[in-house]
Structure formats: C-alpha cells, structure tokens
Amino acid sequence: MSLPEIRLEELTLGRVALEELVDRDALSELVTSFYELFRVPLRVFSEEGLLIESGREAEIYAYLSGSAGGKQLVYDMIEAVKNARPEPGQDQDYECFTGAAYRISAIVHDHRVIGRIVMGPYLPPTVKQVPKALVQIEGVDPKQIKDLLAKLPRAKAATVAQIARHMRRNLDLILNSGHKSLLTSSMHLASVRESYRDLESKNRKLQQAYDQLKELDRLKSNFLATVSHELRTPLTSIIGFSEMLAGGIGGSLTSEQAEFVDTIHEKGKQLLQLITDLLDLSRLENETMSLRRSEVQLVKLAEEVVRSMQPQAKKKQVILEIESNGHVPAVSGDPDRLRQVLINLIDNAIKFTPQGGTVHTTLEKVSSDLEDDDGIGAALLAGSRSDVQVTVSDTGCGIPQEEKNRVFDAFYQVETGNTRHAGGTGLGLSIVKRLVEGHGGSIHVEDNEPEGANMVFTIPIH
Ligand SMILES: Nc1ncnc2c1ncn2[C@@H]1O[C@H](COP(=O)(O)OP(=O)(O)OP(=O)(O)O)[C@@H](O)[C@H]1O
Ligand SMILES: [Mg+2]
C-alpha cells in the first residue's frame, strides 16, 4: 500500500496559540509546584489572556483598592503589568508604587512570543521601610499598610530572575512535547484528509463511469428498439407472402418447393418472435411498456394456455397437466402479458423435458406476513399479503443450483448440449421476470426433487 501524499503546508502547524500547545494539567502542576517552592505568586498569560495562576491575591492590593486614593493607583498598576511586553530573553522588572516588584518574561515558541510569565508581587530587600508616597494615600491607615506590606514575600531581584529563568526552561519542555503531539495529530489528520480526498476522487470517477454506462445502455436499448421495429415490417411481408405461396395462391408448387417455402415461413416466424422479444425487453428496460390492467382469472388463463400448447406437447410426447388448489381469487393484471409469462414457462418446460415426461402447472392462493424491521412486537401489527402462486414443474434436465439466478439474465443459456440443441435465444426468462415484477410479483427457481425444473412465480391479489 502506498502512503497517501501529504502537502507540506498541511504539516506545518502555522500560528499556534499557547493554549493549543500546553497540556493545562501539566502547566497547572508546574505553576503550583513553583509557588509552593518559592512562595512568589505566578501567573501565565497567553495572547488571549490569563491561562493559569497560583498564589493568593496580595492583601495589600485588596486593602488599597478599598481606599479612596488607592483604587486608581492599583488599577493603573495592574494595567501596566498586564500590558508589559518584554522582548524574548529580556525580562522586564516592574516596580510598583507600593515598593513591591514584578518580573515579566516572554514565552517564546518557534521564534514567536506566544505569552508571558508574570512573577510577583514580591518585596526586594532594598525596600527597608514603607514608601512615603504609600502612607500619604488618602484613606490609608499607616499602621495597617505597614503590616500588609510586611506580609508580601521577600526576595532578591536576582533570585526572582533565576526562578523566572528556571520556570521558562521548564515551560519550554512542556511546549516542546505539546508541539510534538500536536504535530503528530495534525499529521494524522492530514493523512486522513488525503485518504478522504483520494476516496472522493475515486468516487467521482466511478460515478462518471456509471453515468457513461447508463447512457450507453440507454443508447443500446434505443438502437435495439429502432432496429427491431424496422425489421418487423419487412418480416411480416416475408411471412405473409410465404404463407400465400404455401397456400398455392401463386400457382401450384412441387413438393420440394413447398418444403422450401415452409422453411422460409417457419424461420420467418422464429425471427419475428425474436424481434418481438427484443422489442419487449427494450420497452421493459426503458420502462415504456405499460400494463393494461384488468381483473384476471389466472386459473382460466392458465387452462387456456395449456390447452393451446397441447399440440406442441403431444408432438414431443410430453404430458401437460394443470391443477388448482382451493379457491384461487382473481388478480389485477394485464391478461396478454400474464399469458406471455405462462407460455414462456410452459414452453421452456416442454422444451427441456424429454419424451414421456410431464409438465405440471399448479395454481394456489398463498399468504405471507409482511416483513417489519421492528422485530417480534411489531410482527403482531404487521399486515399480511396474499398472492396467487403459480408453479410450473417438469421432469426434464433441471437447472443447476449455481445457474438458478443467472437464467433470468438476458441472453443467458445454461451451457449444456441440451440447451443448445433446444434452440431459442435466452430472452424468454428475462422478459418473464420483468413482467412478473411489473405486476408487483416475484419469480424464482426451486429445487424439484429428484429431477426437473420448478419455476415459481407469484402475483399479488389486490
Ligand atoms: N424448464 C427448464 N428446464 C431446464 N432448463 C431451463 C428451463 N427453463 C429455462 N432453462 C434454462 O434457462 C435458459 C434461459 O431460458 P430462457 O427461456 O430465457 O431462454 P431460452 O428458452 O433458451 O430462449 P427463448 O426463451 O428466448 O426462446 C435456457 O436456455 C435453459 O438453459
Ligand atoms: Mg424460453
């Protein structure tokens, strides 16, 4: 199997955001453990805003926010820290009006700043007493502010710078592993996308081939219909004139001439039958054949057909029998087309049954439950349908198991010497199947033990 082709741009991740790269749990763990170790509050910001923070809010700022003069100062300080954008590798120290400090570092990935780490507030050891400006803020109690300032974590700027560097390195590790897994999943996605594209293009080609075949099939049917139609008119004349010659209308014939004329007549009729079959088939394929429905007594129709085929059966010394089981109701159908079905089946049965054999036609009413998808419970509610079932069984060569479905294909004949010898074109059953289905029924071949074929078709009773 060849690997799907992947375009380069699908592999590069483009501008990835910090939140896409890091595993939040891992980052939160890291930030918390840093705080527990160094006790300096820590915040990680992405381009979108705050991602993770640890450490409590410094009480001094809460207190100052509540004072008349401190509120604005605190607000400005927060804005300044939030908006600080240090260059990669050049941390920025921010000194607050309280004397506390912050250290802000850029988070860089793939040569791009994708966020910031803010450490603080912490009190550098250089701040030895409460800044004057702080005590002078309106509404501030000097004693309280001194206590609150003392609560801030104390650390040297150099130590905080070291902690920040350490934090950045750890974060780099998390970012790299995040990048790796993001790349893997995007590669997987790209390969799935490529396979899908491949499948889509194959599908399109298949659809085109199907459309072409359909068009060809339509052209073939049209061609068959036109040619058959054009052949029928001259053929009718050939049959008519040979009939007249045989009848002596053109003068008396010698026995040899009469024999020739009979052959012309017989072959002409065979050809006409073939052409009629072809026309029927193309009309059935085009769905341009309409059924002229009326109420049909299938038993009467079958008896008529059997009677008309008795001479043919007698000639071959085959016994033709017909039987109906119980009351067989009328069906709604086209009598001419149903006659055609019966003639074809009985004709085949006689054709493939040797001398002394029997062709037996049975008609009966059968009922079957309509299938329902909902299972056992719904079976109680499912309706049942009634059909008239016609079985034509013979004692002939039979149809091999593996050919049982194929005999309904146009031009298909079972490859035995018997079939070749029997003649025909292999169109009969394909027409029969379409006609039966056109009536809403179905046809199949059943086993006929110990010998012969058993053709069963049903027509629904409406
Ligand atoms: N009763 C049967 N017994 C054995 N084989 C059969 C029987 N009916 C049909 N077949 C097989 O199925 C094939 C197809 O039947 P179908 O009626 O379509 O064609 P055909 O009889 O050969 O020609 P056509 O009906 O066009 O004159 C036959 O050639 C034969 O091999
Ligand atoms: Mg046939």
Side-chain angles (χ1 to χ4, degrees), residues 273-274 277 344-353 359 392-400 403 406-416 418-420 422-432 445 452-455:
Q273 184 57 48
L274 167 63
D277 280 355
N344 263 297
L345 294 180
I346 298 175
D347 176 67
N348 278 351
I350 297 173
K351 198 158 64 170
F352 297 107
T353 301
V359 172
V392 179
S393 47
D394 59 55
T395 55
C397 61
I399 299 172
E403 309 275 0
R406 301 192 67 184
V407 289
F408 296 105
D409 292 348
F411 299 107
Y412 190 80
Q413 293 183 303
V414 178
E415 282 288 335
T416 62
N418 208 339
T419 303
R420 294 270 161 263
T425 42
L427 281 176
L429 285 184
S430 63
I431 293 172
V432 164
V445 183
N454 207 354
M455 313 293 297

Side-chain angles (χ1 to χ4, degrees), residues 46-176:
S46 75
E47 293 293 280
E48 295 294 316
L50 182 65
L51 208 60
I52 305 275
E53 67 178 323
S54 78
R56 272 175 294 126
E57 188 195 3
E59 282 172 63
I60 187 167
Y61 292 112
Y63 174 73
L64 284 167
S65 294
S67 70
K71 197 174 173 169
Q72 187 61 40
L73 288 170
V74 172
Y75 178 79
D76 290 345
M77 182 277 297
I78 292 174
E79 282 302 297
V81 171
K82 257 173 43 183
N83 292 328
R85 290 288 183 273
E87 288 295 311
Q90 293 174 15
D91 289 2
Q92 198 174 315
D93 285 307
Y94 177 83
E95 258 179 55
C96 177
F97 65 94
T98 53
Y102 289 86
R103 186 168 183 99
I104 305 148
S105 341
I107 303 173
V108 181
H109 177 74
D110 209 9
H111 311 293
R112 217 162 40 80
V113 177
I114 57 171
R116 279 156 296 133
I117 302 169
V118 177
M119 297 195 84
Y122 67 94
L123 211 56
T126 42
V127 181
K128 295 211 164 52
Q129 49 191 333
V130 182
K132 259 202 197 106
L134 195 57
V135 219
Q136 283 165 4
I137 294 171
E138 191 191 338
V140 163
D141 172 15
K143 161 99 178 59
Q144 201 161 358
I145 205 80
K146 191 180 170 206
D147 292 348
L148 290 177
L149 198 63
K151 280 188 176 178
L152 283 177
R154 286 196 165 264
K156 283 189 196 149
T159 315
V160 171
Q162 227 170 2
I163 299 172
R165 201 161 44 244
H166 194 47
M167 173 71 196
R168 263 204 329 270
R169 281 194 197 134
N170 276 286
L171 194 58
D172 268 355
L173 282 179
I174 295 185
L175 288 183
N176 281 341

Side-chain angles (χ1 to χ4, degrees), residues 157-195:
T159 315
V160 171
Q162 227 170 2
I163 299 172
R165 201 161 44 244
H166 194 47
M167 173 71 196
R168 263 204 329 270
R169 281 194 197 134
N170 276 286
L171 194 58
D172 268 355
L173 282 179
I174 295 185
L175 288 183
N176 281 341
S177 84
H179 183 88
K180 227 162 86 183
S181 59
L182 194 66
L183 200 65
T184 315
S185 70
S186 75
M187 239 173 108
H188 177 70
L189 207 72
S191 96
V192 169
R193 208 179 293 135
E194 186 52 37
S195 315

Side-chain angles (χ1 to χ4, degrees), residues 12 35 153 174 237 337-338 398 416 419 442:
T12 52
Y35 177 69
I174 295 185
S237 302
R337 296 301 171 190
L338 290 173
T416 62
T419 303
S442 63

Side-chain angles (χ1 to χ4, degrees), residues 286-303:
N286 286 343
E287 291 169 3
T288 49
M289 179 185 281
S290 55
L291 296 177
R292 258 164 281 177
R293 283 184 189 266
S294 62
E295 201 172 82
V296 182
Q297 297 289 347
L298 268 180
V299 176
K300 262 174 85 180
L301 190 75
E303 280 169 353

